[in-house]
């Protein structure tokens, strides 16, 4: 069952986005979300920042609508959490949830992505 990012401190009328509850996150969905190079790039940026980032803080060589699609896939599959702060949509990696459900998965994927980027001369 999806949950939302509304907290007790969120004023009524604030926008919120649906996220899967921790117990509803499935490995196949996470792997699907991480399989796309642009989505993996987003996850790498969020992991490196170790804090929430605005969508615009992560440069992707695709259109704005395609960026929106990638962020939505990551959110709907439980990889990231998105919340509005004022007019900004902030993104954070759901590391604690993913580490509890799939220990070592995110660290291994990030390590592999870093090795691949080095091998291919990216970033």
């Amino acid at each position: 069952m999806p949950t939302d990012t509304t907290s007790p401190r969120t004023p009524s009328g604030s926008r919120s986005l649906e996220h899967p509850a921790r117990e509803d996150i499935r490995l196949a969905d996470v792997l699907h979300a991480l399989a796309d190079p642009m989505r993996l790039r987003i996850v790498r940026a969020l992991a490196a920042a170790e804090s929430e980032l605005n969508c615009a803080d992560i440069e992707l060589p695709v259109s704005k609508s395609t960026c929106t699609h990638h962020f939505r896939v990551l959110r709907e599959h439980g990889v990231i959490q998105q919340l509005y702060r004022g007019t900004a949509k902030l993104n954070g990696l759901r590391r604690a949830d993913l580490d509890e459900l799939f220990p070592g998965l995110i660290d291994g994927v990030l390590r592999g992505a870093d090795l691949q980027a080095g091998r291919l001369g990216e970033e």
Side-chain angles (χ1 to χ4, degrees):
M1 173 87 21
T3 60
D4 64 40
T5 59
T6 305
S7 70
R9 294 174 304 213
T10 303
S12 63
S14 291
R15 297 179 291 174
S16 64
L17 299 162
E18 289 190 5
H19 297 79
R22 178 185 290 183
E23 60 272 8
D24 294 330
I25 297 172
R26 300 292 179 255
L27 180 60
D29 293 337
V30 172
L31 293 174
H32 167 76
L34 295 173
D36 183 275
M38 290 301 116
R39 293 193 290 265
L40 186 55
R41 193 178 211 177
I42 293 167
V43 170
R44 290 180 70 208
L46 292 172
E50 297 183 358
S51 65
E52 297 168 339
L53 293 177
N54 186 301
C55 296
D57 293 335
I58 303 171
E59 292 184 36
L60 298 174
V62 295
S63 69
K64 186 175 178 181
S65 63
T66 302
C67 285
T68 300
H69 165 75
H70 287 308
F71 279 100
R72 186 181 76 244
V73 169
L74 288 167
R75 176 177 46 83
E76 290 177 350
H77 288 75
V79 178
I80 67 170
Q81 181 170 9
Q82 293 184 303
L83 59 111
Y84 284 100
R85 245 189 228 129
T87 58
K89 187 189 291 184
L90 298 179
N91 304 280
L93 185 59
R94 290 181 68 174
R95 185 179 279 278
D97 290 337
L98 295 170
D99 286 347
E100 182 174 313
L101 293 168
F102 316 112
L105 175 68
I106 293 299
D107 288 334
V109 167
L110 292 170
R111 199 168 33 256
D114 289 344
L115 290 170
Q116 175 178 282
R119 190 178 75 243
L120 300 176
E122 301 169 345
E123 295 180 40

